[in-house]
Amino acid sequence: MSAPFARTAPADGGSSVLDTVHGRTVPDPYRWLEDGESTATRRWLEERRREFTEAARGWPMRERLAADITRLLDHDLWSPPLLRGGTAFATLRSPGDEHPRIVALDGGAERTVYDPVAADPGGRTTLDAWEPSPDGSLVAVQTSRGGTERGELQVLRTCDGAPVEPPVPGVRYSHVAWLPPDLGGPAFFYARRDGTDGRRGLWLHRVAVPRGADTLVRACTGPRTVPGVRVLGGRWLLATESHGTGHRNDVWIADLRAVPADAPAWIPVQEGLEAETTADLGPDGMLYLRTTLDAPRRRICAADPAAPSPEGWREVVPEDPEAPLDGFTAVGTPDRPELLVARTRLGVSSLDAHDARDGRRLHAVGLPGEGMVTRLEQGPDGAAHFCYADVATPQGVLLLDPGSARPRPWPSPDAGGRPPSPAARIRRRVLRFRSADGTRVPLTLLSAPESDPGEDGPLLLHAYGCFGRPRQFGFSATVLAWLRAGGRYAVAHVRGGGDGGRDWHRRGARRDKPRAVEDLIAAADALVAEGHATRDRLCLTGGSAGGMLVLAAAGLRPDLCAAVISSAPLTDMARFERMGLGRMWTREFGTAADAGDFAALLSYSPYHLALDGAARRGPAVLLTGFHSDTRTGAAHPRKMCAALQGAGAPALLRYERDVGHGQRAVSRAVALAADAHAFAAERIGLRPRSGGR
């Protein structure tokens, strides 16, 4: 393996800090690195940049991985179309494009409405959200710059892409819900969650009306909630408010045809309940609700939108005790309404059609393989569009006609569409292991049969385990490039994620978050014990909250593996509420204000485990950080790198400016993925092959 990384002495950018929290002394010697713009921090980051550049220069897999990832991305990437006023709108990223663009399709002719690269040739502007008006003449486009994810809404003319007014500021991944044209307009409802003027909530914006005339139609009930808005069926205004990321929300509905749009009369659909509910309007005029109320793996109920309280809900599709219900859409006709229901079993989707009146399963929808169904959307004339991808097949859009069990590609080949095809054969196996408390936890192991180097070859073990999100096996050019190069890839479906529904999530959240770390440690141990891996050929990998998880596992068990990749992680769990969006995540991790929560947080906090000195005996670590990260906050990887290097551990930091936690230009995404996996290849022994791809 390669030589140890360069060590740096504890930095001298400021004095060490000792906090006393709940009677406990907590050291924080690198707090000065929380100031990302200080001279000391900039100097320190420049030293880390030189370290990384020097180390990466010697990784032989770097160029090969970058080239293969780029080849695997060489296809059209469409979003499901939205039909407005006779025009179909979608996003399209063609081969070679840095970002997707919005296109309008009229009679088969494709016209670009908005291209973020044309607006910003430097590639720093991302398209965050968009929604065409009901008649298709306008498109509301939300963009942000430099990775901050704090953006603005622009209203553009469809015919030429020209703006019709100054942008609306202060938005972050806002829903946009256009007012039906016969109720006045053009106008739309949108969510303002950053609170630039101190008022957060749902607003009505009338296009081309002087600034300052937006009307607040529903204020947020608290500082840590996330608002959302939709218009259903051209009549019903639906408002939601999520309580952080705790899988609990409140839902209200208002009849736009009963009162003026700027003064909706809100009727509670769900309020004050420990449940998460989403809604759709069926062709029969009924409100269909996907909910965790009395169903941890979710069920679908029906309600009269004029009297929608839970007391009147009628169960249509019951909970499946083995598979969470991930998505649905209402399709069909008023006299034959149907529900398309997507469920996920350990990362693999199924799609079924149900009779919306009595819930009967009508048929299974045939899918191209064992993959992931996402973005179910109502289509024209009772049809539906959705996205499908699997480990070997890039994402494509499929069209399902009413009553059919066989979807077909969209756009059709006759219209110039090129449906993605599998890029490789992948072997998928599901294993189960016992965690520290005896719980059986599933693990998925992937390999490419034609290039499998053996049962104990280089293996990446990935985990996320937070916010109730299931791990789904869609397409990743990065993972596929790793498999094609002869590596193997495993996913531990640890508690805290959503693979077993809401209960599985809760069993690895808040004070039980250490269970998720224990599950990951047990997964690594099981892979070694059963002969699927050796310690020196095993690398843990995770991003964001999953980046915290892999660092915590390695911090608690320094002998666990040879390497760790941690991208944009949380690391200082004593202060996570003070960085990025951490204040929104107390339902997931707990709060330092509570003594019991704080004790649990410190028990697995990667930063504090590194400060305790065990890291010097641990694996090599690659951290990635993004200066404009407003989610987890860029201070976390900075402080973690300093703590690891200060303890004498082999650690590198790959740090970027002008990008954040979310979307980025394709070339920058490829470079990041190639660097991270070339690091893993170097540390766990994946080598280029002569005559390879």
Side-chain angles (χ1 to χ4, degrees):
M1 299 297 172
S2 61
F5 299 138
R7 293 178 52 187
T8 57
D12 60 355
S15 59
S16 181
V17 176
L18 288 175
D19 290 326
T20 301
V21 186
H22 301 296
R24 185 171 181 171
T25 300
V26 182
D28 190 2
Y30 302 104
R31 185 172 296 177
W32 59 276
L33 282 169
E34 291 181 12
D35 183 354
E37 301 301 335
S38 73
T39 300
T41 298
R42 286 177 173 269
R43 184 169 57 246
W44 182 88
L45 283 170
E46 176 57 24
E47 293 170 359
R48 304 291 80 72
R49 185 195 65 78
R50 289 197 296 267
E51 284 176 357
F52 175 82
T53 301
E54 179 62 27
R57 194 174 289 126
W59 297 340
M61 289 293 292
R62 194 182 186 196
E63 291 186 6
R64 170 181 171 161
L65 287 168
D68 203 26
I69 293 169
T70 300
R71 281 193 294 270
L72 290 168
L73 293 173
D74 188 29
H75 58 86
D76 287 341
L77 181 63
W78 289 90
S79 70
L82 301 176
L83 187 66
R84 301 288 188 269
T87 299
F89 295 84
T91 60
L92 169 62
R93 195 205 69 213
S94 300
D97 287 351
E98 290 282 18
H99 292 281
R101 63 189 189 278
I102 301 172
V103 298
L105 302 171
D106 295 307
E110 174 191 313
R111 183 177 74 258
T112 297
V113 178
Y114 176 76
D115 182 353
V117 176
D120 177 10
R124 296 175 65 247
T125 296
T126 58
L127 174 62
D128 298 335
W130 60 281
E131 184 72 27
S133 63
D135 64 1
S137 65
L138 302 171
V139 181
V141 176
Q142 186 178 161
T143 60
S144 60
R145 287 176 56 84
T148 64
E149 299 181 293
R150 294 179 178 137
E152 59 184 26
L153 273 169
Q154 282 190 309
V155 180
L156 309 179
R157 288 196 301 257
T158 299
C159 59
D160 58 8
V164 300
E165 62 177 5
V168 178
V171 294
R172 183 186 183 111
Y173 292 105
S174 169
H175 298 171
V176 168
W178 286 88
L179 190 68
D182 60 335
L183 296 181
F188 58 80
F189 300 93
Y190 70 100
R192 185 181 298 169
R193 52 187 281 194
D194 271 356
T196 51
D197 64 351
R199 294 189 295 170
R200 303 171 63 254
L202 303 180
W203 298 73
L204 175 63
H205 173 78
R206 298 192 181 278
V207 178
V209 172
R211 178 60 49 75
D214 288 5
T215 303
L216 180 66
V217 297
R218 183 169 191 90
C220 285
T221 59
R224 301 187 179 189
T225 60
V226 179
V229 64
R230 294 177 65 196
V231 170
L232 304 177
R235 174 179 177 181
W236 301 100
L237 179 62
L238 191 79
T240 60
E241 196 170 343
S242 300
H243 294 260
T245 50
H247 290 256
R248 173 196 160 202
N249 68 346
D250 296 321
V251 185
W252 303 270
I253 198 167
D255 188 348
L256 289 170
R257 300 191 179 276
V259 294
D262 57 3
W266 297 106
I267 305 170
V269 178
Q270 170 182 296
E271 194 171 30
L273 300 177
E274 280 293 324
E276 181 183 38
T277 298
T278 61
D280 200 2
L281 194 73
D284 55 352
M286 294 295 290
L287 193 65
Y288 291 96
L289 305 143
R290 186 195 72 163
T291 183
T292 58
L293 185 63
D294 300 324
R297 288 174 173 80
R298 305 185 191 94
R299 59 181 177 147
I300 297 177
C301 298
D304 179 351
S309 66
E311 294 78 10
W313 293 4
R314 171 176 56 87
E315 183 175 274
V316 179
V317 180
E319 175 186 28
D320 184 326
E322 296 183 354
L325 197 162
D326 285 328
F328 84 102
T329 190
V331 295
T333 60
D335 58 332
R336 295 192 63 182
E338 294 184 8
L339 299 174
L340 286 178
V341 177
R343 300 184 188 272
T344 299
R345 293 169 174 83
L346 295 183
V348 176
S349 296
S350 62
L351 186 62
D352 296 292
H354 291 257
D355 190 307
R357 295 163 295 191
D358 57 19
R360 283 182 303 114
R361 181 177 179 270
L362 301 174
H363 56 260
V365 175
L367 299 175
E370 293 185 336
M372 182 172 75
V373 169
T374 57
R375 302 191 64 178
L376 281 161
E377 302 275 2
Q378 293 175 339
D381 303 320
H385 291 95
F386 61 91
C387 293
Y388 172 83
D390 59 45
V391 175
T393 306
Q395 178 178 294
V397 178
L398 298 177
L399 168 64
L400 186 66
D401 294 314
S404 174
R406 294 183 176 276
R408 50 194 174 90
W410 182 93
S412 68
D414 293 341
R418 295 185 298 165
S421 57
R425 292 188 305 119
I426 300 299
R427 182 170 62 183
R428 174 178 169 270
R429 289 175 287 172
V430 176
L431 314 174
R432 294 184 186 273
F433 60 90
R434 290 197 181 276
S435 192
D437 63 353
T439 299
R440 287 179 63 81
V441 181
L443 179 146
T444 300
L445 184 61
L446 303 171
S447 61
E450 68 273 15
S451 59
D452 196 338
E455 288 299 306
D456 62 350
L459 190 149
L460 297 179
L461 174 57
H462 172 84
Y464 184 75
C466 284
F467 302 119
R469 294 177 185 167
R471 306 315 290 157
Q472 295 178 308
F473 291 110
F475 182 75
S476 167
T478 305
V479 171
L480 190 53
W482 176 265
L483 296 174
R484 282 158 51 110
R488 291 172 305 129
Y489 192 86
V491 174
H493 303 275
V494 302
R495 284 172 285 185
D499 299 283
R502 200 172 189 213
D503 288 343
W504 193 251
H505 169 222
R506 285 172 166 169
R507 291 167 65 187
R510 202 151 183 165
R511 294 187 189 180
D512 287 329
K513 183 57 68 180
R515 297 292 191 198
V517 184
E518 291 173 358
D519 289 354
L520 178 56
I521 292 172
D525 284 343
L527 286 168
V528 173
E530 295 177 18
H532 297 291
T534 57
R535 303 282 182 199
D536 63 341
R537 307 199 83 183
L538 178 63
C539 174
L540 304 187
T541 175
S544 192
M548 177 274 293
L549 192 69
V550 297
L551 289 170
L556 289 167
R557 276 282 305 278
D559 67 322
L560 194 63
C561 58
V564 172
I565 302 169
S566 179
S567 184
L570 294 165
T571 66
D572 183 350
M573 300 309 293
R575 289 173 61 80
F576 81 95
E577 295 166 84
R578 302 168 183 259
M579 305 179 205
L581 297 178
R583 68 190 184 282
M584 308 286 288
W585 302 336
T586 55
R587 289 175 63 87
E588 180 68 24
F589 299 108
T591 172
D594 180 279
D597 286 358
F598 186 69
L601 287 163
L602 275 192
S603 73
Y604 65 86
S605 175
Y607 176 62
H608 297 92
L609 292 173
L611 292 177
D612 285 343
R616 72 174 61 93
R617 306 187 306 275
V621 177
L622 174 65
L623 297 149
T624 70
F626 316 125
H627 196 71
S628 298
D629 188 343
T630 59
R631 289 196 216 176
T632 55
H636 282 287
R638 294 195 298 258
K639 293 177 70 175
M640 187 69 196
C641 182
L644 288 169
Q645 291 189 343
L652 291 172
L653 174 63
R654 186 190 189 279
Y655 195 84
E656 293 180 86
R657 292 185 174 270
D658 297 329
V659 290
H661 203 93
Q663 299 178 71
R664 60 179 57 205
V666 170
S667 59
R668 295 189 75 161
V670 169
L672 172 64
D675 283 353
H677 289 77
F679 160 84
E682 177 68 9
R683 300 304 302 185
I684 63 175
L686 184 66
R687 295 288 183 260
R689 294 181 173 186
S690 59
R693 291 181 183 86

